[in-house]
């Protein structure tokens, strides 16, 4: 079965710095890769997703996907205190019918 | 409106008693999901409805039931709660299946005593 792992478990970054989060998966046939963000006490919310190898940028957020190395990442440029949250990566499985999530990385951005 | 609602937000149940959790969405989404989330663990997919078709995960097949009486509502039913069911239960919906954005509700925190 698809296994999804995230690193690091937690991260403290100073305001304005780059935040980099990692996700590895086990099924090379996976087609869809996503990041979700959950602020404390709130529902998880989709942040970005990617289908193809390479890079996708939206504002301060960038996803990198390398299917050959079974790895994708999220980079947050100019991190803000409002970026402090739990970040969950997700990968499609069951032929794309559902997602399997990682355990999450807790990010704290210090002012 | 991309709101997914869950009721109740908190639930206290006794061991051996049934539990019924409710989820609703008004986005006319085809798929509704239920996840179980325990501290420091990944959200675990329990089951999902695609339209009227229920798909249950193999390792939770016998532990959870669900119904979807109409497009907007979906329930999660535990026939006999055990201590191990204490967790946050998250409902989500998406327009299509797994490769579409999922919209999550705020969750129901279940405590079984």
């Amino acid at each position: 079965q698809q296994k999804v792992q995230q690193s690091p478990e937690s991260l403290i970054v100073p305001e304005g710095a780059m935040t980099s989060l990692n996700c590895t998966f086990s099924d090379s046939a996976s087609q869809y890769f996503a990041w979700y963000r959950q602020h404390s006490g709130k529902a998880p919310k989709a942040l970005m997703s990617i289908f193809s190898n390479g890079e996708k940028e939206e504002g301060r957020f960038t996803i990198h996907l390398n299917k050959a190395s079974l790895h994708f990442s999220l980079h947050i440029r100019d991190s803000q205190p409002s970026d402090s949250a739990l970040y969950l990566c997700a990968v499609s499985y069951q032929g794309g019918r559902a997602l399997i999530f990682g355990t999450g990385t807790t990010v704290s951005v210090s002012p | 409106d991309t709101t997914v609602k869950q009721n109740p937000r908190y639930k206290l149940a006794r061991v051996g008693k049934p539990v019924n959790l409710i989820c609703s969405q008004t986005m006319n989404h085809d798929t509704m999901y239920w996840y179980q989330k325990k501290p420091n663990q990944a959200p675990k997919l329990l089951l999902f409805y695609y339209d009227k078709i229920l798909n249950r995960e193999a390792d939770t097949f016998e532990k959870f039931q669900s119904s979807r009486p109409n497009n907007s509502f979906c329930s999660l039913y535990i026939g006999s709660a055990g201590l191990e069911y204490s967790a946050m239960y998250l409902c989500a919906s998406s327009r299509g299946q797994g490769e579409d954005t999922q919209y999550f509700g705020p969750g129901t925190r279940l405590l079984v005593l």
Side-chain angles (χ1 to χ4, degrees):
Chain A
Q1 187 184 358
Q2 172 82 272
K3 292 192 189 312
V4 178
Q5 293 186 309
Q6 291 187 240
S7 64
E9 286 188 10
S10 62
L11 195 57
I12 299 174
V13 297
E15 184 175 356
M18 175 79 81
T19 298
S20 295
L21 310 176
N22 299 293
C23 188
T24 59
F25 54 97
S26 59
D27 185 357
S28 59
S30 299
Q31 296 290 322
Y32 174 81
F33 308 85
W35 286 95
Y36 283 72
R37 180 166 74 176
Q38 185 176 20
H39 286 107
S40 182
K42 303 290 187 182
K45 190 171 181 181
L47 203 53
M48 289 181 73
S49 61
I50 192 168
F51 284 91
S52 310
N53 258 348
E55 178 181 304
K56 180 179 178 180
E57 182 178 334
E58 290 180 2
R60 295 186 294 113
F61 300 87
T62 303
I63 290 185
H64 288 276
L65 170 63
N66 185 330
K67 288 189 181 181
S69 60
L70 303 176
H71 175 265
F72 69 110
S73 58
L74 177 71
H75 304 274
I76 307 173
R77 178 172 47 85
D78 187 24
S79 300
Q80 300 297 307
S82 57
D83 295 326
S84 297
L86 176 69
Y87 289 78
L88 296 162
C89 68
V91 181
S92 64
Y93 84 124
Q94 284 204 20
R97 294 194 305 155
L99 293 177
I100 184 163
F101 285 85
T103 53
T105 295
T106 300
V107 173
S108 297
V109 180
S110 56
Chain B
D1 182 14
T2 56
T3 301
V4 176
K5 296 182 180 179
Q6 293 188 241
N7 286 297
R9 293 293 309 276
Y10 302 91
K11 175 72 177 176
L12 181 63
R14 297 294 181 187
V15 170
K17 297 297 185 183
V19 175
N20 197 44
L21 308 180
I22 303 295
C23 177
S24 66
Q25 52 88 14
T26 56
M27 297 172 278
N28 200 32
H29 282 172
D30 285 333
T31 310
M32 294 185 75
Y33 307 84
W34 280 100
Y35 294 88
Q36 180 190 65
K37 174 84 168 68
K38 294 185 177 182
N40 301 316
Q41 294 185 21
K44 177 180 171 53
L45 180 66
L46 300 176
L47 52 88
F48 65 95
Y49 265 100
Y50 177 63
D51 195 14
K52 295 180 174 60
I53 300 171
L54 174 62
N55 300 268
R56 287 189 283 178
E57 292 296 285
D59 58 345
T60 55
F61 191 86
E62 296 179 347
K63 297 182 179 180
F64 299 93
Q65 301 288 332
S66 183
S67 66
R68 191 176 186 186
N70 57 53
N71 177 268
S72 300
F73 288 87
C74 188
S75 67
L76 181 70
Y77 180 76
I78 301 168
S80 176
L83 296 175
E84 71 277 14
Y85 288 85
S86 293
M88 176 72 83
Y89 289 85
L90 294 167
C91 174
S93 71
S94 65
R95 188 185 314 164
Q97 296 195 65
E99 295 173 0
D100 275 332
T101 296
Q102 293 188 19
Y103 296 87
F104 282 84
T108 294
R109 187 170 295 281
L110 173 65
L111 179 61
V112 182
L113 299 174

